[in-house]
Amino acid sequence: MSEPWSQLSDVDRLADRQADIAFEIPLSRLPRVQAQIPGAAGTVRGVAHFSGEAGIRIAEVDVEGEARLVCQRCLAPLIWPLEGDTRVVLVANESDADGVPADVETVHAPDDRIRVADLVEEELLLTLPLVPLHEDPAHCT
């Protein structure tokens, strides 16, 4: 049986139930993370909370963990902390996004369905460095 974070779920049902979905996802199971940083290892964990306000479906995602990367300066291992939280509005199509305030991020949920893993992956792509490097070059071996 697959984990709840990997299943395609109905957005309205999640919002109506004010569902909380806890997750612990190996970075190796997130294809877009692997495409950005091949070989990224580690685990991200947290909770995705769904709710609805005035007909708008909201997902709040909190992530934490660490990624084992390779420093591109010295090719030695590098531990990168994973921390983040985001609040997004889930929309089925572009016209639904028209009613969302401009300062709120939207995420496309085709056919009103989404995977928690997709929301987590989105947050991690904003958190992980494009080019992993030790912060201090003196730490390079």
Side-chain angles (χ1 to χ4, degrees):
M1 183 172 180
S2 61
E3 296 88 348
W5 53 263
S6 68
Q7 297 173 5
L8 200 53
S9 299
D10 181 84
V11 171
D12 286 327
R13 180 175 286 154
L14 292 170
D16 290 345
R17 292 182 180 173
Q18 295 195 15
D20 286 326
I21 298 178
F23 55 85
E24 188 167 331
I25 307 172
L27 297 182
S28 62
R29 301 268 313 265
L30 299 172
R32 291 187 299 152
V33 168
Q34 291 299 313
Q36 179 174 315
I37 303 178
T43 301
V44 62
R45 63 196 150 280
V47 175
H49 173 73
F50 296 87
S51 62
E53 296 174 9
I56 296 175
R57 290 98 37 105
I58 299 167
E60 297 176 59
V61 182
D62 294 318
V63 299
E64 66 177 40
E66 61 182 32
R68 290 182 303 282
L69 310 175
V70 175
C71 174
Q72 297 303 296
R73 184 181 294 126
C74 67
L75 302 180
L78 164 68
I79 301 298
W80 191 271
L82 302 173
E83 296 177 20
D85 57 77
T86 190
R87 185 172 195 258
V88 297
V89 172
L90 303 169
V91 297
N93 55 54
E94 198 171 310
S95 65
D96 290 347
D98 292 341
V100 177
D103 62 335
V104 178
E105 184 180 349
T106 59
V107 171
H108 183 228
D111 299 321
D112 286 320
R113 298 167 58 94
I114 194 128
R115 287 181 184 85
V116 169
D118 295 335
L119 295 171
V120 170
E121 202 166 36
E122 242 353 94
E123 181 64 19
L124 291 180
L125 291 172
L126 297 172
T127 303
L128 287 166
L130 290 175
V131 180
L133 297 171
H134 285 104
E135 189 172 313
D136 182 352
H139 290 122
C140 288
T141 56

